[in-house]
Amino acid sequence: MNKTVEILSDQPALVARALELILSRLKTAIEQRGKFTIALAGGSTPKPLYEAIANQNLPWDKIHVFWGDERYVPPDHPDSNELMARRAWLDRVAMPAANIHAIPTLEGNPEQSAVKYEQHLQEFFNSAPGKFPAMDVVLLGIGDDAHTASLFPHTAALKVSDRLITVGNKDAHPRITFTYPFINAARSVIFLVAGANKRPALAQIFAPVADDLTYPSRLIQPQGELWWLLDAAAGLELKP
């Protein structure tokens, strides 16, 4: 694992750096493999990044968009990660509908939806059951409790190591989420973290010793690159 921590002056600088990293990896992926795969994060921090990507002149037909997690709500629900990304980016560009790989949330059965999305991923990547294909980029954030994607402290999802997709749980509300081994198979994982409220979580995530089940972001140790992009407020106590 190649881990890099960068502390940027503010949120616009964080977004600009994330855009730079993504565009570089997109170019390499398309040159080497003919397509670029990215898993999106929800929350407020990546929204301006998606808006910035929408303003680029890119080969949209070669870009495939997935989601690292999703609330179990309809895609037009205000809490939907898909809806946010569509409004900020995907509906603003000429991306083929087949390149947008949304998490299914209308089955009424989260376990069934998780299986369905996993099967879709296996078909797309032509990967065998039990094998973890490599996304080009997985974008992540963290919560105040050090969760990432929908991998919450001391939940069953943290124990799932033989699947790509599982059901996460937040206050009895189900989510669909990438498992940590699937995230760790990625070529590049990029955390975007903004705000002073994230400092206590970051202190535990970066601590030499702490409990992974209490601070789930510690489980993210990808085989490829690991980037932590922090704004100055989040990274203040991590400065040398």
Side-chain angles (χ1 to χ4, degrees):
M1 181 185 68
N2 179 5
K3 177 179 174 182
T4 305
V5 180
E6 294 187 4
I7 300 172
L8 291 308
S9 58
D10 54 22
Q11 198 159 345
L14 184 154
V15 167
R17 180 62 173 138
L19 179 65
E20 184 180 19
L21 290 175
I22 289 167
L23 294 180
S24 168
R25 279 133 196 82
L26 181 152
K27 183 173 183 288
T28 298
I30 292 174
E31 286 174 353
Q32 294 181 356
R33 292 177 291 279
K35 64 177 181 286
F36 173 70
T37 56
I38 183 170
L40 304 186
S44 57
T45 304
K47 184 180 178 184
L49 171 62
Y50 302 156
E51 292 169 342
I53 295 172
N55 291 330
Q56 305 297 308
N57 180 20
L58 297 172
W60 302 115
D61 60 319
K62 294 180 171 62
I63 298 170
H64 289 264
V65 174
F66 301 79
W67 277 263
D69 73 317
E70 181 61 276
R71 296 176 176 88
Y72 205 68
V73 296
D76 59 355
H77 192 282
D79 292 339
S80 167
N81 291 339
E82 178 188 346
L83 180 65
M84 183 272 277
R86 285 185 179 277
R87 286 178 170 172
W89 169 14
L90 304 174
D91 288 348
R92 297 172 52 200
V93 301
M95 184 177 289
N99 290 24
I100 300 172
H101 306 266
I103 294 177
T105 57
L106 297 176
E107 281 76 13
N109 181 326
E111 292 286 354
Q112 184 180 329
S113 298
V115 169
K116 184 176 179 180
Y117 200 51
E118 176 150 354
Q119 289 171 342
H120 176 73
L121 285 158
Q122 288 170 338
E123 289 169 9
F124 177 84
F125 285 102
N126 193 27
S127 62
K131 300 294 184 184
F132 296 98
M135 285 270 171
D136 290 312
V137 170
V138 174
L139 295 177
L140 295 173
I142 66 167
D144 295 355
D145 60 357
H147 86 268
T148 192
S150 284
L151 301 170
F152 291 93
H154 300 289
T155 55
L158 302 180
K159 302 288 183 68
V160 179
S161 59
D162 58 348
R163 300 258 310 271
L164 307 182
I165 306 296
T166 192
V167 177
N169 200 288
K170 168 70 169 172
D171 301 329
H173 295 292
R175 315 254 187 125
I176 309 297
T177 185
F178 281 18
T179 61
Y180 77 86
F182 183 32
I183 296 171
N184 284 342
R187 293 184 176 92
S188 297
V189 172
I190 304 174
F191 277 93
L192 308 177
V193 185
N197 57 309
K198 302 297 172 64
R199 284 184 212 156
L202 286 167
Q204 297 296 332
I205 294 165
F206 284 90
V209 179
D211 179 32
D212 294 352
L213 299 183
T214 304
Y215 307 102
S217 294
R218 293 177 62 90
L219 291 167
I220 307 307
Q221 305 285 341
Q223 65 176 12
E225 305 173 313
L226 175 59
W227 292 85
W228 283 90
L229 302 184
L230 318 175
D231 73 352
L236 183 66
E237 292 165 13
L238 296 177
K239 287 187 175 178

